[in-house]
Amino acid sequence: MTAVISFGASNRLDALASVFPTQTFTTPTPETTPNVGSLASPGVPFGGFNIPQNNAEESVQFNRAWSITTRYLTLQTVQERDLSNPRTAADSEINALSVICRRPSGFKELRAWYANETGVHFRHHVAPVLEHWQQPISVTSASDVLGRTTQLLRSAQNGYLSSLISVVDHTSSMADRQTLLTLLARLREDLFALYLEALPCHRLLKTMSAVFYQQMKSSLEHQSNTEACHKRGECWCTTALDESLLATIYDIGLGQLGQQAFATAFHKFLEVEAIERPCFRVDWTSHASVVPNLVRWIEQRLASFAQRTISILQGGRQVNIEKQLDAQAIVRTAVTNIGRLRTSALFDYTKRWPSSIGALLDIQSYLVIAPQDKARVCEHFIQQVKRRLLHAGASTTEILSIYVDLIPAFKLLDARGVLLEKVAQPLRSYLRSREDTVAILAASFFADVSSDGSVDHIDPYRICADITNEVARSALVQQSRHKVLTFEDMEWLPDPIDAGPDFKISAPEDVLAHVLGLFEQEDFIKEVTIVLAQHLLEATDPEYVRETRLVELFKTRLDSTKLQAAEVMLKDMRDSVTLNRRINAPPKQISVPTPREIQAAIPSEGVTLTSLYGMFERRMTPAQFRAALSTVANKRQDRYYARRTPLPPEPPANAEVTDHDIIDSKYHVLSSFFWPQMRGDTFKLPALLNDCNRRFDSRFTDLGNQRKLHFKDALARVTVEIELEDRTVCEADVPGWRASVIDLFAFHPQSDMDIDDGLTPTFALDQIASLLQMDEELVLDALSFWLSKRVLYQPQPDMYAVLERQDMDVGPTKQTKQDTKFSALKSQDAMFREGVPTFETFIAEMLRNNGPREIGGMTGIAGMLKMVLPNFTYGEDEARWLLEDMESRGMVVRNGEIWAIG
């Protein structure tokens, strides 16, 4: 589609003539000259200029000079000859023109007569050629149309003035020559006015502007050498205009209009072409600003080009060019344009921090030049954030990642933090409205960072890697939240004048300070405690160095008095390490006692089983002890006596004793009051694990501890080694319920059926759940896990057996679900369900004793639940759910927003 330069088409000459009639002139004769302005003579044959009768000779001389001059300058027959080749003026014509111009009245009347002469000729022979200017001019043809028009007007001007120029060139008198030059200048001005009347100025202005812009754009594209500029480290690209066209525009009197057109084109050139070039694109490698390079290019090349162009449009004069063209104004305009261009993509640059430092430095330079545009930058960024980020399609981790990058990016733009405070507010409000923000923040603080700086085992929807890396880089230094106003502080500064009412001058705050300030400390500390508990239970470092560092970090930035639970949890884990060292000796130091050693320990008067086992309980299990005791002692009533029969030979003294019944176990002793609620699933553990629990409980009591141990079966983690016919399967850190299920297949003596005439036990799902007293959810998880490891298989639907050999006919199988990670802590839903009876009882009693009330408010139902019941840590939505459930059972009734006892 062709762009068109469109204006209203009207014939200005006709419109002007209809209101102000032009002067009329008679055709000059060889002997007479009529009165100017009237067709009729006032009665005197040769008195056209009202010369007194007593000066008849002078009158006759003047009239003859007028007749000669008008015959020489007339354009009535100009169409019959070429304007570019005028006839050379004779001496009589030169003298006649001098005679007329010596008189002021003659100078004036001759100018008026010749203006009419050129006007008539222009309207009849030149104006029709310019009729196409009354229609819109397309951008593609603008250059050709402007070129033809300027050449036509220049040719007409040369033809109109060539005769007079010939007279000026041959005039010897300096006074007459100066007068003729003045007349020539006045006639030239009349021609310029004639051109402006014949052409639509606004359309001509836009056409010239479009031509100038296209020429500057084309010259810059053809003369640019990006590689050479890159090698030099600065831009050497040049731009140019057709100087012959500029000179022609000035010669035909359109220089002022050309300057306006050039200013328009130059401004557009600075907005687009000058800044969107390879030389001034964002520096992604050295992360430097391109503004200094842009400033040098403007001062050294573009400003000189603009000065040269304006000089040509002013006729080659250098007068006041510096005042008319300020290079610093061009610099300010270009820097403002490039800053606004970068601002339009500020959201993308923020996402790509720190690679986009160069772009942000460009915006920083822009704000230094135009500080009034700071509000514009903030508004543009907020609009981009709302449109592209703050919606349901963006994950919380993505929003947090951009929020983390936003902080240093806007600190670079404004070190005071005023801009950051303005643009971060929408993100903060939106993050606070998302339910999973606090959990993701806490999990990100405790995620592991490898030696190369990457986040290990990252879940992109549960952990924000940017926050994890910031935590890893953070130093443990005490930082105050805000400076205290003291008269001795020599670095005190007042609030910025453009800051909001809630702005506070704070000490240098890093990313973590802004992240930790997203939520109330109580909410964040509560979530951190839960994540820390889960992390400590899964940690493998016995020193807990990283966890200690994080807790100390929180103590420097949060209220340390509210982190007591975290400190107690850390102490429990360290004490557990020490306790395990005291109770459990290393496996290589454990040696199973021989039967002879047990026999030697039995006194002649006999001994009870408990007393005798107490001597060997750290070296063997109860099952081992009973087996060995049965070979060396006899029982009489409740006492054991040594046998006198020969004993089997003992193994060599240097032989290593191996016993699969002795396992290495470690325990965590936790203070239940300070830890979050753990999973309370109970089931039958393998016998070896039960023996270990009893032994640890006994030794824990022997060490003088007064606390009561409650073993959490669901939190047990076991390393299982399974020896099959053709392979050995070893799985580490298996949950206790998975170990119990596979142990059932290994040691249970009976089953419903046998496979391949062998002794492989086969169980159904409900049998396993019944035998182990385990929830079906955990049984399904264990079966799915061992099916995926090809340890179990399904000989029949809903039946499970051990896959001894991989080449066995496993029969029909079904798709198993993926391994599910069960948290060691109770979920919020589980804790809420456990507390529902208590919550309902409290609500019923409160409504019965205190009368109806609303859900919300300080004294509402939700507020009273929080105030009286410490385990109700939920909100109004959960309270409403409880009331609606109670309403369905007739316990309460609702009247609008008021709830009462049923």
Side-chain angles (χ1 to χ4, degrees), residues 205-217 219-220 237-241 246 257-275 294-295 297-310 313 324-335 337:
L205 178 65
K206 293 196 69 174
T207 302
M208 284 194 294
S209 176
V211 172
F212 292 161
Y213 175 74
Q214 292 297 329
Q215 287 185 1
M216 287 189 290
K217 177 181 176 181
S219 66
L220 187 63
C237 303
T238 58
T239 185
L241 284 175
L246 299 176
L257 200 63
Q259 292 181 54
Q260 297 178 23
F262 174 72
T264 303
F266 192 69
H267 182 74
K268 183 179 179 181
F269 180 76
L270 288 177
E271 284 183 342
V272 183
E273 301 300 329
I275 60 177
L294 175 64
V295 171
W297 179 69
I298 291 175
E299 292 176 346
Q300 297 175 6
R301 287 171 177 77
L302 196 61
S304 60
F305 154 74
Q307 289 180 355
R308 184 171 63 256
T309 300
I310 294 178
L313 290 174
Q324 297 179 18
L325 185 66
D326 186 2
Q328 294 304 316
I330 300 177
V331 168
R332 288 193 296 270
T333 302
V335 173
N337 290 336

Side-chain angles (χ1 to χ4, degrees), residues 279-332:
C279 294
F280 304 127
R281 290 176 182 169
V282 177
D283 189 348
W284 298 100
T285 54
S286 59
H287 302 164
S289 174
V290 300
V291 170
N293 192 13
L294 175 64
V295 171
R296 286 194 299 270
W297 179 69
I298 291 175
E299 292 176 346
Q300 297 175 6
R301 287 171 177 77
L302 196 61
S304 60
F305 154 74
Q307 289 180 355
R308 184 171 63 256
T309 300
I310 294 178
S311 176
I312 296 174
L313 290 174
Q314 291 182 343
R317 294 174 296 158
Q318 297 292 339
V319 180
N320 292 332
I321 290 293
E322 291 75 8
K323 295 182 179 179
Q324 297 179 18
L325 185 66
D326 186 2
Q328 294 304 316
I330 300 177
V331 168
R332 288 193 296 270

Side-chain angles (χ1 to χ4, degrees), residues 64-127:
R64 290 180 61 85
W66 176 266
S67 180
I68 294 172
T69 299
T70 55
R71 284 199 308 271
Y72 172 69
L73 295 178
T74 187
L75 298 175
Q76 290 180 355
T77 59
V78 72
Q79 63 272 19
E80 300 176 0
R81 57 187 175 89
D82 189 0
L83 287 174
S84 61
N85 296 310
R87 179 174 60 85
T88 304
D91 292 339
S92 60
E93 296 167 339
I94 296 173
N95 294 330
L97 204 72
S98 300
V99 169
I100 293 176
C101 291
R102 288 185 188 125
R103 291 190 178 185
S105 58
F107 182 95
K108 180 179 180 181
E109 295 298 336
L110 182 60
R111 176 186 176 186
W113 177 83
Y114 196 67
N116 175 74
E117 195 75 10
T118 55
V120 171
H121 182 273
F122 184 85
R123 284 190 293 271
H124 286 83
H125 300 284
V126 180

Side-chain angles (χ1 to χ4, degrees), residues 23-61:
Q23 291 177 318
T24 57
F25 299 90
T26 59
T27 301
T29 65
E31 300 296 336
T32 64
T33 299
N35 273 344
V36 177
S38 176
L39 292 177
S41 173
V44 182
F46 302 100
F49 293 94
N50 299 320
I51 301 175
Q53 295 295 325
N54 56 3
N55 199 1
E57 182 180 354
E58 183 179 356
S59 175
V60 171
Q61 180 184 5

